[in-house]
Amino acid sequence: MDLSFTSEQEILQDSAVKFAQKGYSFDQYKKSLKAPGQCDPAIWKQVAEFGWLALAVPESAGGIGGSTLDIALVAEALGAGLVIEPFIAGAIFPAAIIAASESAGRQDALLGNLASGDAQLAVAYSERAGRFDPAQCTTIADKNAKGFVLSGEKICAFNAPNASHLIVSARNGSAVDLFLVPRETAGLSLTAYPVLGGGVAADVKLDGVQVDSDARLGDITALEAGLDKAIAVDCALALGGMKALFERTSAYLRTRKQFGVAIGTFQVLQHRVVDMFIELEQSRSLVLLATAKADSGDAVERRRAVSAAKAYVAKASKMVAQQAVQLHGGIGMTEELDVGHYFRQLTAFGTRFGDRDYHLDRFQAVAAA
Amino acid sequence: MDLSFTSEQEILQDSAVKFAQKGYSFDQYKKSLKAPGQCDPAIWKQVAEFGWLALAVPESAGGIGGSTLDIALVAEALGAGLVIEPFIAGAIFPAAIIAASESAGRQDALLGNLASGDAQLAVAYSERAGRFDPAQCTTIADKNAKGFVLSGEKICAFNAPNASHLIVSARNGSAVDLFLVPRETAGLSLTAYPVLGGGVAADVKLDGVQVDSDARLGDITALEAGLDKAIAVDCALALGGMKALFERTSAYLRTRKQFGVAIGTFQVLQHRVVDMFIELEQSRSLVLLATAKADSGDAVERRRAVSAAKAYVAKASKMVAQQAVQLHGGIGMTEELDVGHYFRQLTAFGTRFGDRDYHLDRFQAVAAA
Amino acid sequence: MNFDYSPEEETFRQEVRTWMEANAPRDPSGIATGMRIGKETQFAWEKKLASKGWLAYTWPAEFGGPGFTPVQRDIFDAERARAGAPSVIPFALMMLGPVLMKFGTPEQQKRFLPRIASAEQVWCQGYSEPGSGSDLASLKTQAVRQGDKYIVNGQKIWTTQAHWAHWIFCLVRTSGDGSKQQGISFLLMDMNTKGIEVRPIVTIDGHHHLNEVFFTDVEVPVENLVGVEGQGWTIAKYLLTHERTAIAGVGDSKRQLRWLSETVARDPALKDSPHARRRIAELEVDLLALEYTNLRTLDRMAKGHSPGPESSGLKIKGTELQQGISEAQLEFGGLQAMPWGQDVEGEPVYRAASTRYNFLRACTIYGGSNEIQKNVLAKVLIGL
Amino acid sequence: MNFDYSPEEETFRQEVRTWMEANAPRDPSGIATGMRIGKETQFAWEKKLASKGWLAYTWPAEFGGPGFTPVQRDIFDAERARAGAPSVIPFALMMLGPVLMKFGTPEQQKRFLPRIASAEQVWCQGYSEPGSGSDLASLKTQAVRQGDKYIVNGQKIWTTQAHWAHWIFCLVRTSGDGSKQQGISFLLMDMNTKGIEVRPIVTIDGHHHLNEVFFTDVEVPVENLVGVEGQGWTIAKYLLTHERTAIAGVGDSKRQLRWLSETVARDPALKDSPHARRRIAELEVDLLALEYTNLRTLDRMAKGHSPGPESSGLKIKGTELQQGISEAQLEFGGLQAMPWGQDVEGEPVYRAASTRYNFLRACTIYGGSNEIQKNVLAKVLIGL
């Protein structure tokens, strides 16, 4: 057992923390909110130049092939900095799927564009009736002479409005397979919208979308592997947000005065902050575990750790976010202060890629298996 | 809408409160714990003389035929006084079953003995695999020429060691029926034990127990009606215990000093007491509702109110009991102080006649029906 | 003891229900969330209520209200919520009205009450200031008497609907002597007076309900003082404790929970989930406890008593439950609750959920945070 | 970064597991509850550990311990719990031992440490007094120096296993000057000394673990003073913060939860209950968070650092989890958990549940209540 980071990881973490603290102010956040697709091209370029977009791209495809922990270190800093550019949804998640799929070698050009920041991707796997379960898939891939015809509906495909290609899951016979669909393909239509807490998404209609045989990336195991990696990284992102809220709240309690004293002298508020801190540290332990296991070849071990982390952090981050607003009082409710924006970011985290309820069920199913 | 009590009810409440406060000290409680069957005959005689045992006995059988509210007013006082004599399990619950059964008229002599305190009864309906559900019954009643032969096992029949007769539920063809079985019948054997929080119970074995045809009291609806009445009354008993703990805890916070000040000046403890008080009052509202509806002919309305009360009070009383011990610190953990005894009493309340989990399910099933 | 309504009350309920069904604004998404409803819809609705004589539904007949009993008021509010209609803007109707009835001069009563009851005048409340959140008495806005006028300077914050209001009632400091409570007075101001500036505050639900209100040398006639100078704190306390019937929010919570459970029942992903059904059952039981605690308070009020100890938890439990229901709406909504600030196809309760969830974080903060409520109650219970 | 144990550590684990399986006392009901185990069983078990050299398993080799690394200690404790064996009586092994190693004279170390490590001497701890619960420094038991003796008068309370112990270490007041902390000293006493009286306290689990200890003109040789006069508070703080490895109780909680989940899996009434299974999953996730937080602390200690901020929640979360698991055991037990103070047929975990549930209410009270723990942590975090 050794929980030290390598010196490379410490450098990576340092640069991400510095970027988030100095390169990405609250004003930049508000600017990014108004940028097309809520992604400021200048910021995206910087993120690419740091090499962070290449972290989930295999070395064989010209990427860095970093561990999940490497990526999580960046994500935590981005979460702490309220960076809303689609680091996970537009790059890490789809890259991890492709890297884990049978067709990995065939997509090097696309992955190269992704790593350089020239293209973004998105994954469309959720359906209304399936909630968070990638195996609940009613979208159909009908094989024909030219390849496959995709038909069905997906909801809330994060970052889809910004993507050059979508990775779409569809039922191919008895299997659920993954298909790479260029955004401009006939029959593919998006209803785009901004998302709670920042970023954009789309509901996706596939109305007889014809793709080549080559478009088939692989089967659902690649999606599951990519999803687990994305979730572990997303938990690290949430951890950053929790830490930021803890720091802002404890600082506010030190300075804000009521009844002639700093409100941090009130025992009830003190204990609330202690609870926030304890939840933050407990969360960190499971996030470390999830990032360590996300790269495991043992899918059971991987799922167990990832679902435990997501189930725990979903609850802990909700508590931290709610109490941060409560302890700030009125000012915590306003758009003017960043606290409320972290609150929304963490609220969205609780839902995306599966909520606590879903992951407790999955954790239990893995434990029972 | 009028939530006043009648003047008769106020008198009844007064006398019960006075008895519990003056006639039943903590020393008397400890004496009763050591009495045979944890029931002091002198106390039981007083309870009978007050007429409280006759409250659930119909007027036609020489009883008082009181409303559930009448009985609940007595029970709340008994709960507040830590009276462990088997008011509900030995008298109210079985009397309510008989009163609701088809054979009501035939049991007047037995009910007379019950009302006078000369006999106690008990109900044996719970089975290991059925948990709290009276309809889950594997005990069999085989009809034969002499009547019925009962075979099976019951667990945790409260007050059975003190009872002259047991009311036993058994499957009679496709129905679940109730049978009155004299304690000394051949084939009936009891494993008696003291119960958490006071009182006694027994696991009951029925090994080919022959009873007359007359022994059949009626079907399960009488058990269900009696059970709902018993639960509403038991919730009132718990309310009394919660009130006692709230009072003792707030008094302790006023007088106990640490760090040179009364511990009631610490805001965290203040808010804890406020939470206890709020839970007490919310509980009272549902207990009033349950007692009002326990006599309703509409079984759906009755079940809904009773299960709501039990589900709520089980949670609230657990919180109040735990915090009472926590706020008393070490002394709350000892046998010397009554706080720990109320704690155990309320802990047992959470389980008997169905726990929160069971009653939430029942509440939901009724709402869905 | 019985919880049954009298036949007269049942008749009244039916009358209100019928009227609500015919008259409640039809704007499901906006009304249901209770937030997105616009000024025009709100004002039109209040006019309609006024024309029926039901806008000032908590007022006695002698001051132009319908003279409802406490139980009737509760029924009225429950039926209003049941129909999905918005609640009335409370500042004039629930707060200023009772204050004028008790502390106002006959002239003030005649001047303002009829205009309020007729929906002619909408009011906002100037209490909080930037430096005084829970510590209301530390307010700094000054009113200096000059002849027959006060000159007001200072700032209020968190002023709900100030951008809609015609008038504002304010706590102002008229003296720096004595305790900080003693120097406070209660003043009425026309929002059109020169020197009053309203600046919007956008909240985390993405909407504009709140404002800052700035006062720069605002001239207010002395006849706009309510009570006497220095009586402001007494009036403020009266105002805060006066209106308890609707504080628990039972009617609106019932409607929100029913809306959710009906949606879940047809949601293919949740209708068979034991966890979703359990959570709804838990909320229903909690709501039932709140409802009957509220009825106990109503029963006391109907008998002419002041609310009993049971009422102290109504605000705390009521707001916790509002938040709890909105949390369930958000979480059951799942991905369908993710779209933000833009209408998308889907179940209305899920679509409204994230806005409601964000908005309702405020309900444990405003009107005396729940922490402050517990401090006050602890003083009563422990007495230290 | 990795959480994997080294091959050496895995070998060590296997060695401990094998030994535990062969040597742990066989008394499932008593041991499992960790409470009903009698003096003879406990003492015999400690002797057995001592003969293996593992009783003082947290001690360095130079003082007669096995010299385990922090990770080995944790493995040892986990395997001990896994086997269902009782933990050792901690007062001498976890508390006094480290104190003597740091503050004791060579003579004191030689006199006591070997006897403790060999299970010859069992100790108890005299800290709390009737008037000083969480406010430990307000203690009143007096030790007055007379020649080469102290004369001790006063009373201790909540003294665990005083009725088993041969010796007691006490905080006593040797001076009334200065701050209340300054006059405190750390004194060792033979329980057989004249003037020491032990009276039992029965707790709400129905058992006798605790005692009051009365001191009447007890004569204690000055060589039984640890450190110097007035150093008692410093020593007490060292003692309280020294031992963190086992504070989270991960091993025992794991065993209790596994015991429960295995029972539920064969319980016809619960095995298909989604609510029971969900509750177990929630507890498992919480326990996993605690386990890995504990490992983070171990990792720091193994590297020679002091425990980091992550360790501050170990006691709070650890005790909450112990209580949470016992609550689930009680509630899943249902009617089978109702028998009290008498053995009845049924699942062992259910039968033990009410006793455990009652007993474990203490774990958020003793050793500095969780409220005090949070006060201390708040000071660090907020700094006010």
Side-chain angles (χ1 to χ4, degrees):
Chain A
M1 192 174 73
D2 179 6
L3 306 186
S4 314
F5 298 150
T6 64
S7 55
E8 289 81 5
Q9 285 170 335
E10 281 174 0
I11 293 167
L12 186 64
Q13 187 178 36
D14 272 2
S15 63
V17 167
K18 264 186 209 130
F19 166 76
Q21 284 177 353
K22 295 182 184 159
Y24 203 91
S25 62
F26 187 45
D27 280 340
Q28 173 61 51
Y29 159 81
K30 287 187 271 191
K31 193 175 160 206
S32 292
L33 268 181
K34 286 182 189 133
Q38 300 199 7
C39 178
D40 183 331
I43 293 293
W44 197 247
K45 192 158 170 252
Q46 282 182 61
V47 169
E49 282 167 0
F50 276 116
W52 301 337
L53 299 177
L55 281 170
V57 174
E59 287 180 88
S60 59
I64 295 173
S67 68
T68 301
L69 177 60
D70 297 338
I71 305 169
L73 292 174
V74 173
E76 185 184 343
L78 298 183
L82 203 59
V83 177
I84 57 168
E85 274 69 10
F87 177 63
I88 299 174
I92 300 301
F93 181 26
I97 292 175
I98 293 172
S101 73
E102 303 155 31
S103 68
R106 277 187 281 124
Q107 308 298 342
D108 288 358
L110 183 59
L111 289 178
N113 284 340
L114 183 144
S116 65
D118 293 322
Q120 293 184 11
L121 300 181
V123 189
Y125 75 97
S126 304
E127 298 187 1
R128 200 175 300 262
R131 251 176 117 76
F132 305 110
D133 185 356
Q136 300 272 328
C137 178
T138 63
T139 299
I140 297 292
D142 265 330
K143 208 165 167 46
N144 68 3
K146 293 191 228 160
F148 299 90
V149 178
L150 307 178
S151 305
E153 291 185 29
K154 301 285 176 183
I155 63 164
C156 205
F158 290 102
N159 201 47
N162 293 330
S164 69
H165 296 70
L166 305 187
I167 298 174
V168 175
S169 61
R171 194 160 288 282
N172 178 14
S174 63
V176 173
D177 285 349
L178 307 176
F179 299 87
L180 189 69
V181 186
R183 169 67 196 283
E184 299 304 332
T185 314
L188 178 75
S189 61
L190 269 55
T191 307
Y193 45 80
V195 168
L196 171 70
V200 294
D203 294 348
V204 178
K205 264 204 178 124
L206 299 124
D207 190 6
V209 173
Q210 176 73 55
V211 294
D212 295 344
S213 302
D214 268 9
R216 183 180 167 279
L217 291 172
D219 65 18
I220 194 174
T221 56
L223 172 57
E224 286 169 343
L227 198 45
D228 279 339
K229 187 168 208 140
I231 294 170
V233 172
D234 202 27
C235 286
L237 191 92
L239 201 63
M242 290 166 72
K243 184 151 182 285
L245 284 181
F246 163 74
E247 287 167 354
R248 277 154 181 74
T249 305
S250 51
Y252 187 72
L253 260 61
R254 274 191 288 273
T255 50
R256 167 72 170 171
K257 287 205 163 68
Q258 295 264 279
F259 305 102
V261 294
I263 62 173
T265 59
F266 294 115
Q267 195 191 21
V268 161
L269 308 193
Q270 290 179 344
H271 284 206
R272 215 75 68 78
V273 165
V274 166
D275 290 338
M276 291 168 73
F277 180 76
I278 291 174
E279 290 308 322
L280 172 64
E281 288 298 330
Q282 297 283 114
S283 294
R284 180 175 300 282
S285 303
L286 287 182
V287 172
L288 285 173
L289 178 65
T291 56
K293 301 297 184 192
D295 300 325
S296 168
D298 178 344
V300 167
E301 190 182 48
R302 189 188 78 204
R303 277 178 207 162
R304 188 178 139 81
V306 166
S307 279
K310 180 66 199 261
Y312 195 96
V313 182
K315 186 178 174 184
S317 63
K318 182 165 78 175
M319 178 270 184
V320 167
Q322 290 181 348
Q323 289 308 323
V325 170
Q326 180 72 22
L327 267 52
H328 275 85
I331 193 76
M333 284 293 300
T334 67
E335 290 274 331
E336 283 163 65
L337 196 71
D338 55 9
V339 166
H341 298 264
Y342 283 103
F343 172 84
R344 287 203 300 246
Q345 166 73 250
L346 289 177
T347 302
F349 162 77
T351 294
R352 64 183 178 235
F353 305 137
D355 61 9
R356 175 171 165 87
D357 190 71
Y358 172 76
H359 282 285
L360 281 173
D361 270 352
R362 200 173 82 135
F363 177 84
Q364 179 193 302
V366 171
Chain B
M1 191 175 71
D2 179 6
L3 306 186
S4 314
F5 298 149
T6 63
S7 54
E8 288 81 5
Q9 285 170 333
E10 281 175 0
I11 292 167
L12 185 65
Q13 187 179 37
D14 272 2
S15 63
V17 167
K18 264 187 207 130
F19 165 76
Q21 283 177 351
K22 295 183 184 160
Y24 202 91
S25 62
F26 187 45
D27 281 339
Q28 173 60 51
Y29 159 81
K30 285 187 271 191
K31 195 177 158 203
S32 293
L33 268 181
K34 287 181 189 133
Q38 299 199 10
C39 178
D40 184 331
I43 293 293
W44 196 247
K45 194 162 168 246
Q46 283 181 59
V47 169
E49 281 167 3
F50 276 117
W52 300 337
L53 299 177
L55 282 170
V57 174
E59 285 182 87
S60 57
I64 294 173
S67 68
T68 301
L69 177 59
D70 297 340
I71 305 169
L73 293 173
V74 173
E76 185 185 343
L78 299 184
L82 204 60
V83 177
I84 57 168
E85 274 69 12
F87 178 63
I88 298 174
I92 299 302
F93 180 26
I97 292 175
I98 294 174
S101 72
E102 301 156 31
S103 70
R106 279 187 282 124
Q107 308 298 344
D108 288 358
L110 183 61
L111 289 179
N113 284 340
L114 183 144
S116 65
D118 294 322
Q120 292 184 13
L121 301 181
V123 188
Y125 76 97
S126 303
E127 298 186 3
R128 202 176 299 262
R131 250 177 117 76
F132 304 111
D133 185 355
Q136 299 274 326
C137 179
T138 64
T139 299
I140 297 293
D142 264 330
K143 209 166 165 48
N144 68 3
K146 292 192 227 161
F148 298 90
V149 178
L150 308 179
S151 304
E153 289 185 31
K154 300 287 177 180
I155 64 163
C156 206
F158 290 102
N159 202 47
N162 294 330
S164 70
H165 297 70
L166 305 187
I167 298 173
V168 175
S169 61
R171 192 160 290 282
N172 180 15
S174 63
V176 173
D177 284 350
L178 306 176
F179 300 88
L180 188 68
V181 185
R183 168 69 194 283
E184 299 304 331
T185 313
L188 178 75
S189 61
L190 268 58
T191 306
Y193 45 81
V195 168
L196 171 71
V200 294
D203 293 349
V204 178
K205 263 204 178 122
L206 299 125
D207 189 6
V209 173
Q210 175 72 56
V211 294
D212 296 344
S213 301
D214 268 9
R216 184 180 167 282
L217 291 172
D219 66 16
I220 194 173
T221 55
L223 172 57
E224 286 168 343
L227 199 46
D228 279 339
K229 186 168 209 142
I231 294 169
V233 172
D234 202 27
C235 286
L237 192 93
L239 200 63
M242 291 166 73
K243 184 153 182 281
L245 283 181
F246 163 73
E247 287 167 355
R248 276 155 182 74
T249 306
S250 51
Y252 188 73
L253 260 60
R254 273 190 290 271
T255 51
R256 168 72 170 170
K257 289 204 160 69
Q258 295 264 280
F259 306 102
V261 293
I263 61 173
T265 58
F266 294 115
Q267 194 190 22
V268 161
L269 308 192
Q270 290 179 344
H271 284 206
R272 216 75 69 76
V273 165
V274 167
D275 290 337
M276 290 169 75
F277 179 76
I278 291 175
E279 289 309 321
L280 173 64
E281 288 298 330
Q282 297 282 114
S283 294
R284 182 175 298 283
S285 304
L286 286 182
V287 172
L288 285 172
L289 177 66
T291 57
K293 300 297 183 192
D295 300 323
S296 167
D298 179 344
V300 167
E301 191 182 47
R302 190 187 77 204
R303 276 176 208 164
R304 188 177 140 81
V306 166
S307 280
K310 180 66 199 261
Y312 196 96
V313 182
K315 185 177 175 186
S317 63
K318 181 165 78 174
M319 178 271 184
V320 167
Q322 291 180 346
Q323 289 307 324
V325 170
Q326 181 72 22
L327 267 52
H328 275 84
I331 193 73
M333 282 294 299
T334 68
E335 289 275 328
E336 283 162 66
L337 197 72
D338 57 8
V339 165
H341 298 263
Y342 283 104
F343 173 83
R344 287 203 299 248
Q345 167 71 251
L346 289 177
T347 303
F349 162 77
T351 293
R352 64 183 178 234
F353 306 138
D355 62 7
R356 175 171 165 88
D357 191 71
Y358 172 76
H359 282 285
L360 282 172
D361 269 352
R362 201 174 80 136
F363 176 84
Q364 179 193 304
V366 171
Chain C
M1 185 199 73
N2 75 78
F3 285 103
D4 305 327
Y5 293 96
S6 69
E8 293 75 24
E9 285 163 348
E10 288 296 353
T11 305
F12 174 75
R13 181 190 298 281
Q14 206 46 62
E15 181 193 352
V16 177
R17 184 170 296 184
T18 307
W19 190 87
M20 287 287 171
E21 275 163 12
N23 292 282
R26 297 277 163 239
D27 175 7
S29 78
I31 292 164
T33 64
M35 286 165 295
R36 297 206 213 167
I37 187 167
K39 181 175 168 182
E40 289 68 30
T41 317
Q42 179 76 34
F43 279 27
W45 168 234
E46 297 200 358
K47 282 247 182 282
K48 200 178 268 185
L49 280 168
S51 65
K52 175 74 179 171
W54 281 353
L55 178 61
Y57 70 96
T58 57
W59 292 10
E62 57 178 304
F63 288 110
F68 290 163
T69 65
V71 175
Q72 282 180 317
R73 280 181 224 163
D74 190 64
I75 291 173
F76 179 85
D77 201 57
E79 291 301 324
R80 190 270 312 152
R82 187 179 181 279
S87 54
V88 299
I89 299 173
F91 306 107
L93 294 159
M94 308 300 179
M95 299 174 185
L96 179 64
V99 159
L100 289 179
M101 291 173 211
K102 186 168 172 80
F103 297 96
T105 60
E107 290 69 32
Q108 288 173 331
Q109 292 171 351
K110 250 178 269 165
R111 184 171 161 212
F112 294 113
L113 294 180
R115 289 189 174 82
I116 292 169
S118 65
E120 193 180 322
Q121 247 177 27
V122 170
W123 286 69
C124 62
Q125 167 186 265
Y127 267 38
S128 291
E129 298 188 3
S132 73
S134 294
D135 183 10
L136 185 57
S138 69
L139 60 90
K140 293 203 177 80
T141 295
Q142 272 210 324
V144 178
R145 174 104 186 225
Q146 286 190 1
D148 57 354
K149 286 175 189 158
Y150 286 102
I151 310 299
V152 179
N153 280 285
Q155 185 198 345
K156 297 290 174 181
I157 196 168
W158 316 128
T159 318
T160 304
Q161 314 302 23
H163 54 309
W164 290 1
H166 310 108
W167 280 74
I168 185 169
F169 57 90
C170 277
L171 291 180
V172 294
R173 187 160 297 286
T174 42
S175 162
D177 299 340
S179 78
K180 58 186 180 177
Q181 283 81 6
Q182 283 167 2
I184 295 174
S185 300
F186 195 100
L187 208 56
L188 314 178
M189 294 181 241
D190 187 326
M191 289 294 280
N192 282 321
T193 318
K194 195 182 151 214
I196 298 183
E197 189 201 345
V198 175
R199 291 186 206 157
I201 298 173
V202 179
T203 42
I204 56 174
D205 57 333
H207 291 273
H208 171 206
H209 328 268
L210 305 181
N211 303 275
E212 293 179 287
V213 184
F214 294 86
F215 304 90
T216 312
D217 295 329
V218 178
E219 298 187 2
V220 183
V222 290
E223 63 260 32
N224 287 11
L225 177 74
V226 178
V228 296
E229 269 195 23
Q231 205 183 3
W233 190 251
T234 306
I235 296 176
K237 283 203 301 186
Y238 175 79
L239 180 156
L240 285 171
T241 57
H242 180 78
E243 184 54 46
R244 298 218 188 203
T245 44
I247 203 171
V250 170
D252 289 296
S253 283
K254 262 183 153 171
R255 179 178 150 76
Q256 290 296 334
L257 186 52
R258 197 179 60 233
W259 194 24
L260 178 62
S261 75
E262 285 168 0
T263 304
V264 165
R266 65 174 173 258
D267 184 334
L270 289 180
K271 68 178 180 203
D272 297 321
S273 159
H275 303 301
R277 284 157 56 193
R278 167 60 60 92
R279 188 155 168 194
I280 288 174
E282 288 178 333
L283 290 167
E284 282 174 344
V285 168
D286 285 352
L287 185 49
L288 211 56
L290 186 69
E291 179 181 4
Y292 280 85
T293 306
N294 196 42
L295 289 179
R296 287 170 61 205
T297 301
L298 283 177
D299 177 64
R300 287 185 62 98
M301 290 171 70
K303 288 173 181 145
H305 306 301
S306 58
E310 79 292 339
S311 68
S312 28
L314 289 177
K315 201 244 165 179
I316 294 168
K317 277 285 178 180
T319 50
E320 285 176 359
L321 202 45
Q322 285 177 56
Q323 291 184 342
I325 293 168
S326 83
E327 217 173 286
Q329 290 176 334
L330 177 85
E331 291 173 17
F332 290 174
L335 294 171
Q336 295 182 62
M338 289 297 99
W340 181 248
Q342 184 175 315
D343 260 1
V344 182
E345 202 187 342
E347 287 286 358
V349 67
Y350 295 158
R351 276 172 32 228
S354 48
T355 303
R356 286 197 84 238
Y357 175 76
N358 281 279
F359 176 72
L360 283 172
R361 300 318 305 170
C363 73
T364 46
I365 296 172
Y366 61 56
S369 73
N370 283 17
E371 288 82 4
I372 293 287
Q373 303 277 343
K374 288 188 184 182
N375 284 352
V376 172
L377 196 46
K379 210 151 224 163
V380 177
L381 295 176
I382 307 179
L384 288 175
Chain D
M1 187 199 70
N2 74 80
F3 286 103
D4 305 327
Y5 292 97
S6 70
E8 294 74 25
E9 285 162 348
E10 289 296 353
T11 305
F12 174 74
R13 181 190 297 282
Q14 204 47 59
E15 181 195 351
V16 178
R17 183 171 298 184
T18 306
W19 189 88
M20 287 286 171
E21 275 163 11
N23 292 282
R26 297 277 165 240
D27 174 8
S29 76
I31 292 165
T33 64
M35 283 167 294
R36 298 205 212 168
I37 188 167
K39 181 176 167 182
E40 290 68 31
T41 318
Q42 178 77 34
F43 279 27
W45 168 235
E46 297 199 356
K47 282 248 182 280
K48 201 178 268 185
L49 281 168
S51 65
K52 175 75 180 170
W54 281 355
L55 179 61
Y57 70 96
T58 57
W59 293 10
E62 56 177 310
F63 289 109
F68 290 164
T69 65
V71 173
Q72 283 180 315
R73 281 181 224 163
D74 190 64
I75 290 173
F76 179 85
D77 201 59
E79 290 301 322
R80 191 268 314 150
R82 186 178 182 278
S87 54
V88 299
I89 300 174
F91 307 107
L93 295 158
M94 308 300 180
M95 301 174 183
L96 179 64
V99 160
L100 289 178
M101 292 173 210
K102 187 169 172 81
F103 298 96
T105 61
E107 291 68 32
Q108 287 173 332
Q109 292 171 350
K110 254 178 266 165
R111 185 172 159 209
F112 294 113
L113 294 179
R115 290 189 173 83
I116 292 170
S118 65
E120 194 180 322
Q121 246 177 26
V122 170
W123 286 70
C124 61
Q125 166 185 265
Y127 268 38
S128 291
E129 298 188 5
S132 72
S134 295
D135 183 11
L136 185 56
S138 69
L139 61 91
K140 293 202 176 81
T141 296
Q142 271 209 325
V144 178
R145 174 104 184 226
Q146 286 191 359
D148 58 354
K149 287 175 188 157
Y150 287 101
I151 310 299
V152 178
N153 280 284
Q155 184 198 343
K156 296 291 175 180
I157 196 169
W158 318 128
T159 319
T160 303
Q161 313 303 25
H163 55 308
W164 292 2
H166 309 106
W167 280 75
I168 184 169
F169 56 90
C170 277
L171 292 180
V172 294
R173 185 159 300 284
T174 43
S175 163
D177 299 341
S179 78
K180 57 186 181 177
Q181 283 82 4
Q182 283 167 2
I184 294 173
S185 299
F186 195 97
L187 208 54
L188 315 177
M189 292 181 242
D190 186 326
M191 288 295 281
N192 282 319
T193 318
K194 198 182 145 209
I196 299 184
E197 192 201 342
V198 175
R199 292 186 204 156
I201 298 173
V202 179
T203 41
I204 56 173
D205 58 333
H207 291 272
H208 171 204
H209 327 268
L210 305 181
N211 302 273
E212 294 179 287
V213 183
F214 294 86
F215 304 89
T216 313
D217 295 330
V218 177
E219 299 186 2
V220 183
V222 290
E223 62 261 31
N224 289 10
L225 177 74
V226 178
V228 296
E229 270 194 22
Q231 205 183 1
W233 189 251
T234 305
I235 297 177
K237 282 202 300 187
Y238 175 78
L239 182 156
L240 286 171
T241 57
H242 180 79
E243 186 52 50
R244 300 218 187 202
T245 44
I247 203 172
V250 171
D252 289 295
S253 283
K254 261 184 156 172
R255 179 179 149 75
Q256 290 296 335
L257 186 52
R258 196 180 62 233
W259 195 22
L260 178 62
S261 76
E262 285 168 1
T263 305
V264 166
R266 63 172 175 263
D267 184 336
L270 288 180
K271 67 179 181 202
D272 297 321
S273 159
H275 303 300
R277 284 157 57 194
R278 167 60 61 92
R279 189 154 166 195
I280 288 174
E282 288 178 333
L283 289 166
E284 282 174 347
V285 168
D286 286 352
L287 185 49
L288 210 57
L290 185 69
E291 180 181 3
Y292 280 85
T293 306
N294 196 42
L295 289 180
R296 287 169 61 204
T297 301
L298 283 176
D299 178 65
R300 287 184 62 97
M301 290 171 70
K303 288 174 182 145
H305 305 302
S306 57
E310 78 292 341
S311 69
S312 28
L314 288 178
K315 202 242 164 182
I316 294 168
K317 276 285 177 179
T319 50
E320 284 176 358
L321 201 46
Q322 285 178 56
Q323 291 184 341
I325 293 168
S326 84
E327 216 173 286
Q329 290 177 333
L330 177 87
E331 291 173 16
F332 291 174
L335 294 171
Q336 294 182 63
M338 289 297 98
W340 181 247
Q342 184 175 314
D343 260 2
V344 182
E345 203 187 342
E347 288 286 359
V349 67
Y350 296 158
R351 277 170 34 227
S354 48
T355 303
R356 287 196 84 240
Y357 175 76
N358 279 280
F359 177 72
L360 283 172
R361 300 317 306 170
C363 74
T364 46
I365 297 172
Y366 62 54
S369 71
N370 283 16
E371 288 83 4
I372 294 287
Q373 303 277 343
K374 289 188 184 179
N375 284 353
V376 172
L377 197 47
K379 208 150 225 163
V380 177
L381 295 175
I382 307 178
L384 290 175

